[in-house]
Structure formats: structure tokens, C-alpha cells
Amino acid sequence: MYDLLIGNIKELVPLTEDESRLIQNYFEPVHLKKKQFLLQSGESSNHMRFISQGCLKLYNIDELGAEYILQFGISGWWLNDLYAYLTKKPATYFIQAITESTVLQIHRDKLDELFDKSHMMDRFFRIKTQNGYVALQERTINNMSQSVEQRYLEFITRYRNIEQQIPQYMLASYLGVTPEHLSTIRKKLIGH
Amino acid sequence: MYDLLIGNIKELVPLTEDESRLIQNYFEPVHLKKKQFLLQSGESSNHMRFISQGCLKLYNIDELGAEYILQFGISGWWLNDLYAYLTKKPATYFIQAITESTVLQIHRDKLDELFDKSHMMDRFFRIKTQNGYVALQERTINNMSQSVEQRYLEFITRYRNIEQQIPQYMLASYLGVTPEHLSTIRKKLIGH
DNA sequence: CAATTTCATTAAGGTATCTTAAGAACGCTA
DNA sequence: TAGCGTTCTTAAGATACCTTAATGAAATTG
């Protein structure tokens, strides 16, 4: 179960045997059934989280009860309310399993300990966060400059594996449109 | 001139005298007149960049020639086409001075050298990037869930210092609307 | 100081997306 | 397999935002 996690880290930085062992000791598995919450708005987010199996969503809910999906996460991705984690303030987001999932998570205290013990852990999260930042920048510019149709097409080709695990109305939320509108867009596309 | 940079780093991590000295040696100043480019699409982005003085914009241009501002940067901020920097691929963005500016920049080779010499430099950029990621996530969710009017009001209260340095049509571009539309929104707001 | 460029405003008509409402298809679960 | 919740589709009318074009104000330059 930890192989995916260790492999994910070793893709970017070397780890000693000691470090690998520590990581395995510090990360704890959490199993979630479909629709179960890993984090709810208002709670504190004290763990850094790696998805071992399944599919989850990170979203928030506004005053009117509308849901906005900020991010999906699947096997091999990191997912968190990072603001709440870093500041220790109450979460503003929800993390919920879309399918049955397994998450490996490490408590902030343990991770900070790892950071002090291991230069490479700082480096790993530096690079990982830089990559995430770049991806989010690209999404931002795409949201500004492309039509919903283009963004839909890009999503389903780039993240086919995610698309296959989520209902269409969640993808609509992620893309920032209503499910009704996404449906009409798809209709137009089918007739070429 | 380097005080702001060193101070910026020391806000997040401790630095030894040696490290501070190295940083001062490795970062080189670049002076830009108004409208001058620090980076153009197609060039390679080989430096990590810190704004010492002035105000700049990071933007791209689509096939039709339309400009989309991804980010502004002012004194004390880091600004870059991070994707181009990390991958060594040609830049897709432009960085241009809005006002006369001074930037301190370090070549990737030197920064990588610093990363290997100093655990704290890895940590600094980890934390800095995490904070940037969180800010960008918040912008993303705001773009999804708030009206242009709300986003405009938030920008001018939160970034009053930026707003005072940029023309209104650039803020419109950043907010993802036309200057004409932003103008009508402002008109509505003035009459309460 | 005059000339020129840059920037902001206004308005009319067009397009994209939303809201609301209803019904159809699908997949669980009793 | 019948029933129920979940998801997707369709359509009409409403709203937000864009496009184009024109004007005026402000800032920059010669």
C-alpha cells in the first residue's frame, strides 16, 4: 500500500532507507466509503494527504448552498485544504470521496519532524508544490481565455481517468458552469 | 538594494552569514523602464525573479492577439513564468514593467547550487510556493463563486497599492472582463 | 504649449450562460 | 422486479457580459 507513496516521492528526490522507513511509519491509512467525508468545513486539517486509491473532490459551499469543486484527486495525487493545514485555521473546504477510496495521511507534527530531519523532504514538497502551482496557473489562464467547450474537451482528453469516475454535473461544477449548460454543449459536440 | 530580498527570505527561514553573502553574490539587479520587457513569449526563462521596486505584469496573448493578465507583481513579490523556468521550455508568457522597476534575479544554475548547499533555501521556496498556491486557489474559487463586482471590490481593497499603479483596463484583464464592462460596474457602484 | 497617444466612458445590439421546470434514463435496493 | 433516488436532457425566458463604435478626458511626447 505504501509503495505508491514511496514511489511518488522517489520520482522527484532520492530517499535513504531510514527516510523511507520513517515515512512508512508516519503515514497512516484512512479508508473511505463512497460519499464519506475526509474533511468538512469548520474542522481543522491537521494532515497532509496522499491518495492511494479511489477518487475524491475538494470543494466549498457558498452562503446559498451552491457547491464549487476546486479540485479532483485520484490515485497518486496529493489533496488537501492547504490553507487550513498551513495556518491551522478551520477548513473552508470539504474533502469527500466520490468512489470508495484509501488515503495515506501524515500529521503536521510528524511531517515537520521529517522536514527537520531530511533536506530531501523539503525539496520534495517544494518541487511538488511548484508543479501544482504551474498546473493551477495553466487552469487559471485557460479559464480566462478559452470557451467552456474547449475546456471541456481538454479535460476529458487530459483527465480521461477522472472523467470516467465522476458524474457529469461534478465536472460542470469544476468547469464553472451549470450541468444544464454542459449538457447542451455536449449535444452540440455530438453532431460534430 | 538587497535588504528587501534578504529580509523576504529571513521572514520564513533563518540564514547564516555565509548564505546571505552567497545570495547577494548570486542575485543580479535588472533595471527596467516603463513598458520594457523582462521576458517575452518564446524566450527561455533562466532566472528566478524577485521584484525590488516597481510594478510588473505576467500575461499571455492568444491567437487573436487578446491579452490575459495572469498576475501582477510589486515590490517584495516573486514573479516568473514558472513553467518555462522549471522545464527549460520556451516561455508562453510575457513579463513587462508597468512602471519603472528593479528586479533581482538569480540564474537557475546558481539557485540549484544554493539548493544543494542550503537546506533552508529549499524550505524557503517550499513555503513561498505553498503560500502562492493557496493564494491562487483562493483566486480560483473566487472566480467561480463570486460576481465580477465582488471580485473588483475585493481587489481594490486588498491590493490598493497595486490598483494605484495600474490602469483600469489591466485590472479588467486580470479580472477576466472587458474594460467596458468594468466601467459600467464602477458606474453602478458609485451611485451606491 | 500643441500634438499625439493612452485611457475611460457611454450606449446599442448580440451572444453565452443561468434559472426554472419538467420529464426521461439509469442504477440501486427492498 | 418494482420502486426510488440519482443523473442527464430539453426548452423558454431572464441576465450577464461582449462587441463595436464613438466621444471625451488625461497623460505623455515633441
Side-chain angles (χ1 to χ4, degrees), chain A residues 59-179:
Chain A
Y59 66 97
N60 81 352
I61 294 185
D62 71 9
E63 328 79 48
L64 301 170
E67 177 177 318
Y68 299 93
I69 297 182
L70 187 55
Q71 209 181 122
F72 297 109
I74 55 172
S75 180
W77 293 35
W78 296 80
L79 193 69
N80 209 351
D81 181 340
L82 195 60
Y83 179 75
Y85 175 86
L86 293 173
T87 62
K88 303 188 185 179
K89 290 181 181 169
T92 55
Y93 295 105
F94 295 80
I95 300 178
Q96 190 181 17
I98 296 173
T99 66
E100 194 177 1
S101 302
T102 306
V103 169
L104 294 173
Q105 59 179 22
I106 182 173
H107 194 278
R108 181 180 26 246
D109 296 343
K110 298 292 187 189
L111 182 54
D112 286 343
E113 196 185 314
L114 283 184
F115 282 145
D116 283 335
K117 280 185 184 154
S118 161
H119 184 159
M120 285 308 126
M121 284 305 280
D122 263 304
R123 176 164 301 175
F124 171 73
F125 278 97
R126 167 175 68 78
I127 298 174
K128 210 69 192 169
T129 312
Q130 282 177 336
N131 292 343
Y133 186 83
V134 162
L136 190 51
Q137 269 198 340
E138 195 185 339
R139 181 177 167 200
T140 304
I141 209 78
N142 285 350
N143 281 342
M144 291 198 278
S145 62
Q146 299 192 324
S147 68
V148 177
E149 184 177 317
Q150 285 173 313
R151 286 185 278 141
Y152 170 71
L153 287 171
E154 185 175 335
F155 187 96
I156 62 173
T157 52
R158 190 157 170 176
Y159 302 112
R160 182 172 296 283
N161 45 0
I162 296 183
E163 189 229 347
Q164 285 163 355
Q165 298 190 63
I166 63 176
Q168 200 172 293
Y169 73 88
M170 287 190 194
L171 178 47
S173 169
Y174 177 90
L175 293 174
V177 295
T178 58

Side-chain angles (χ1 to χ4, degrees), chain B residues 117-164:
Chain B
K117 280 185 183 153
S118 161
H119 184 159
M120 285 307 127
M121 285 303 282
D122 262 307
R123 177 164 301 176
F124 171 73
F125 278 98
R126 168 176 66 79
I127 298 174
K128 210 67 190 172
T129 312
Q130 282 177 335
N131 292 343
Y133 185 83
V134 163
L136 190 52
Q137 269 198 340
E138 196 185 339
R139 181 177 167 201
T140 304
I141 208 80
N142 285 349
N143 282 343
M144 290 199 278
S145 62
Q146 300 192 324
S147 67
V148 178
E149 184 177 318
Q150 285 173 313
R151 285 184 278 141
Y152 170 72
L153 287 171
E154 185 175 335
F155 188 95
I156 62 174
T157 51
R158 190 157 171 177
Y159 303 112
R160 182 170 295 284
N161 44 2
I162 296 183
E163 189 229 347
Q164 283 163 356

